[in-house]
Amino acid sequence: MIDPWSSAIVDYEKLIEQFGIKPFSDLLDDVENPPNLMKRGIIFGHRDYGRIVKAMREKTEFAVVTGMMPSGKMHIGHKMIVDQLIWYQKQGADIYIPIADMESYSARNIEFNESRELAITEYLTNYIALGLDFNKKNINVYLQSENKLVQNLAYMLGRKVNLNEMKAIYGFTGSTNISHLYVPLIQVADILHPQLEEFGGPKPTVVPVGPDQDPHIRLTRDIAERFKNRFKFIAPSSTYHRFITGLTGDKMSSSKPKTAIFLSDSPEIAAKKVKSAKTGGRESLEDQRHHGGIPEECVVYEMLLYHLVNSDKELKEMYHNCKEGNVMCGECKNHASEMMMKFFEQLSKRRQVAEHEARKILSNNVR
Ligand code: SF4
């Protein structure tokens, strides 16, 4: 069982086997100009992504839905979702960004007004600063608690879901609060509502998620099937990306500050954090010169791979220099830390002007 509110999953192979997620590498060649996250295997799995590939190739309508749950600060791992949205925006997708304040309320005890403020000052501000364009036509942002259409759809869809099913999928027990029990249905409605007539009718829809969110995807696909006659839903596709490792070697988490580089960190702090990250270096310099480092176990390398090095050629060189013992961790960390500093200098400049825009977006977009 995968519990989207608590699990830390690292065995990606097992997921592919156990839950029927397909390897992304199978259709990578069909994607035109794939982003680094796809090329580098960070997006490792999918369900029915062929539909999205077809829609992009034939330039027909498709949607991307990815929510944000305002429950804390955004860290650099969250950037992956924004990078994907930016890429999909260039591919002409309709973009839907539900702000999961109902989930924050029931699963994290965060009041709606607090969620709203967090969504503006933290999430939307960073989305804008990272480069997502909210001035484009086909981008929709809303708070779950203010979207009656989504709430009504969730209620209607709930008629074909029973308690035993929710227990089996999510591990809910007799002590699970009823609001929490209802939240997955809201998320199902978040994902399916772009296919309602009001939004242009049935269309391929993709949900980029971490593998911990797969229970929502499976439930949504099942429910889409159950309501196929009524709404003509097309079962949503999904992609799965690896989690970024935390600075300490565990999963990066906003609730464990020692593991995370936050997007609101100053450039100096972000750079310093890179220097403190766990590496795949050897016990001694001599060992490292002789055997080389282990980039596959190195948090610094992961930052280069996920975020800091755009050129595949440059990244390959860094990988080989590490493997062959041509570079030592100190030097490598300094280099990565400088790159992080530059990235954060730009980001914090953009963040300063982004909050004003973020505030406007939310007040304009509420349905
Ligand atoms: Fe990581 Fe760089 Fe050390 Fe290799 S040389 S283990 S990539 S810090």
Side-chain angles (χ1 to χ4, degrees), residues 89 133-140:
Q89 192 166 49
D133 186 351
F134 284 85
N135 294 316
K136 287 246 165 84
K137 211 170 56 199
N138 297 338
I139 184 158
N140 304 276

Side-chain angles (χ1 to χ4, degrees), residues 278-282 288 293-295 298-301 304 318-319 321-323 327-330 332-333:
K278 183 179 166 285
T279 71
R282 304 283 178 176
Q288 187 145 346
I294 313 171
C298 177
V299 176
V300 176
Y301 183 75
L304 301 172
M318 290 170 130
Y319 178 87
N321 280 335
C322 170
K323 282 295 244 193
V327 65
M328 299 296 108
C329 291
C332 184
K333 273 181 167 184

Side-chain angles (χ1 to χ4, degrees), residues 265-312:
D265 281 340
S266 69
E268 293 74 21
I269 296 283
K272 201 169 154 198
K273 284 183 175 176
V274 174
K275 290 191 183 170
S276 75
K278 183 179 166 285
T279 71
R282 304 283 178 176
E283 295 270 302
S284 67
L285 289 180
E286 203 188 324
D287 261 10
Q288 187 145 346
R289 273 189 208 105
H290 191 66
H291 299 292
I294 313 171
E296 296 82 1
E297 294 177 10
C298 177
V299 176
V300 176
Y301 183 75
E302 210 178 78
M303 286 178 199
L304 301 172
L305 175 81
Y306 282 45
H307 298 297
L308 296 175
V309 181
N310 199 28
S311 147
D312 290 339

Side-chain angles (χ1 to χ4, degrees), residues 2 15 44 61 70 92 98 122 150 221 227 237 257 265 289 305 309 343 345 355-356:
I2 312 175
L15 266 174
F44 68 91
E61 200 185 3
E122 187 64 30
V150 164
R221 287 166 58 88
F227 283 86
S237 311
D265 281 340
R289 273 189 208 105
L305 175 81
V309 181
F343 171 75
E345 277 168 358
E355 187 176 327
H356 178 65

